[in-house]
Amino acid sequence: MGDTTDFKSMGLYRNVDRIMADLEAMGKGGDEELNVDDLTSFDQYHYEGTEAVDDAIGYLAPGPGSTILDLGSGLGGPARYLADRTGASVTALEIQQDLNATAADLTRRCGLAELVNHVNGDMLAGAAGVDAYDGIVSMLCVLHIPDRATLFARCADALRPGGRMFIDDYVALGPLTDAETADLADKVYCPYVPDLDTYISDVSAAGFTDIETVDKTADWKAFVADRLAAFRNARPNLEQRYGSATVDGLDDFYSTVANLFTGGHLGGLRLTARIN
Ligand SMILES: C[S@@+](CC[C@H](N)C(=O)[O-])C[C@H]1O[C@@H](n2cnc3c(N)ncnc32)[C@H](O)[C@@H]1O
């Protein structure tokens, strides 16, 4: 895998094995067996947790024998939940090696290694292959990838005819201030946020049809504010659990995101589409 050091400018992606300290605090340390539901409060790096994955399941309608690509799978939370609830086979594609390794270990401990295959690779480099999937789910990953032409072409290639795609992502509601642009680039590793029309036309240019969108801005604004408040409440405990450098990085990340949504220029987008 290429160099992904730049991702570590974002506090969420540092010390990713802190989830092991969370499990230890729950009495599930070491190599103890896990259930998917033991992990869901720690392993979902997008907004609205497993509710959002339930929405993806509703749209993609996977079942045993279906093949789903989780694009930008992080710690593997959405991939494991989707496989566990539907019996589908999931390829969890993740560009950061440390996240991928931790994710694969958690999946093994959940007894899901037959259904969830963790791959350390870059979607832009063709890591998902061609004609391989019935569906793609991608939660808060596209925001890291400015080359939308290549990205959505790879998504179209990866799907079989009739395949469906479910994306949760950022969208610009209006011009971002210089400070917002800098925060997105420097602290969220998000160098590019298109407006809705540009987003849809990039997806359409790759051959997708039946493009539908939902404005998630209000829901996510509330979610990220609550996440920050809960984090600050738990801060003294978390300092003991993770150490103060990791907690400072997370605080900076969670507060930056909450401020961005409060600013009114950054929005939340759910997009679904199909390939013929
Ligand atoms: C905010 S995290 C979300 C993780 C997961 N989808 C979830 O909801 O828990 C986005 C992930 O996308 C990954 N990612 C970014 N660009 C990628 C690429 N080109 N190929 C594969 N993964 C990528 C990042 O490393 C990061 O782990």
Side-chain angles (χ1 to χ4, degrees), residues 165-167 199-200 203 211-214 269-273:
M165 178 167 78
F166 181 104
I167 290 176
Y199 206 117
I200 291 172
V203 172
I211 300 170
E212 308 267 352
T213 62
V214 178
L269 171 68
R270 175 162 293 165
L271 181 143
T272 55

Side-chain angles (χ1 to χ4, degrees), residues 7 13 43-46 72-74 78 93-96 99 121-123 139-141 144-145:
F7 280 91
Y13 296 149
D43 68 358
Q44 313 281 319
Y45 275 3
H46 57 273
S73 46
L93 177 63
E94 173 50 54
I95 196 169
Q96 296 184 68
L99 277 161
D122 181 355
M123 185 68 183
M139 304 291 206
L140 290 213
C141 166
H144 292 311
I145 308 176

Side-chain angles (χ1 to χ4, degrees), residues 159-190:
L159 286 170
R160 299 196 179 100
R164 290 167 172 230
M165 178 167 78
F166 181 104
I167 290 176
D168 273 0
D169 195 23
Y170 289 173
V171 67
L173 304 178
L176 299 161
T177 65
D178 289 348
E180 287 169 338
T181 301
D183 274 351
L184 280 162
D186 299 343
K187 297 182 177 182
V188 191
Y189 199 55
C190 174

Side-chain angles (χ1 to χ4, degrees), residues 16-34 38-39 41-42 102 105-106 109 237-238 240-242:
V16 294
D17 60 356
R18 65 184 181 273
I19 193 169
M20 300 307 173
D22 295 323
L23 291 171
E24 182 90 46
M26 278 171 64
K28 303 250 175 184
D31 201 34
E32 187 149 328
E33 277 182 28
L34 298 169
D38 293 330
L39 291 169
S41 37
F42 314 111
T102 302
D105 191 43
L106 294 171
R109 288 174 64 186
N237 279 341
L238 295 178
Q240 290 205 326
R241 199 183 291 173
Y242 307 151

Side-chain angles (χ1 to χ4, degrees), residues 196-273:
L196 183 61
D197 289 346
T198 308
Y199 206 117
I200 291 172
S201 87
D202 285 344
V203 172
S204 168
F208 284 92
T209 60
D210 302 313
I211 300 170
E212 308 267 352
T213 62
V214 178
D215 181 355
K216 294 294 293 176
T217 308
D219 293 342
W220 292 1
K221 183 179 168 189
F223 178 88
V224 297
D226 290 350
R227 179 174 71 170
L228 176 62
F231 177 81
R232 292 238 164 114
N233 220 13
R235 217 190 128 111
N237 279 341
L238 295 178
E239 270 175 6
Q240 290 205 326
R241 199 183 291 173
Y242 307 151
S244 48
T246 297
V247 169
D248 286 345
L250 286 168
D251 195 299
D252 188 38
F253 173 70
Y254 292 144
S255 57
T256 298
V257 172
N259 284 339
L260 284 164
F261 274 97
T262 304
H265 306 129
L266 182 71
L269 171 68
R270 175 162 293 165
L271 181 143
T272 55

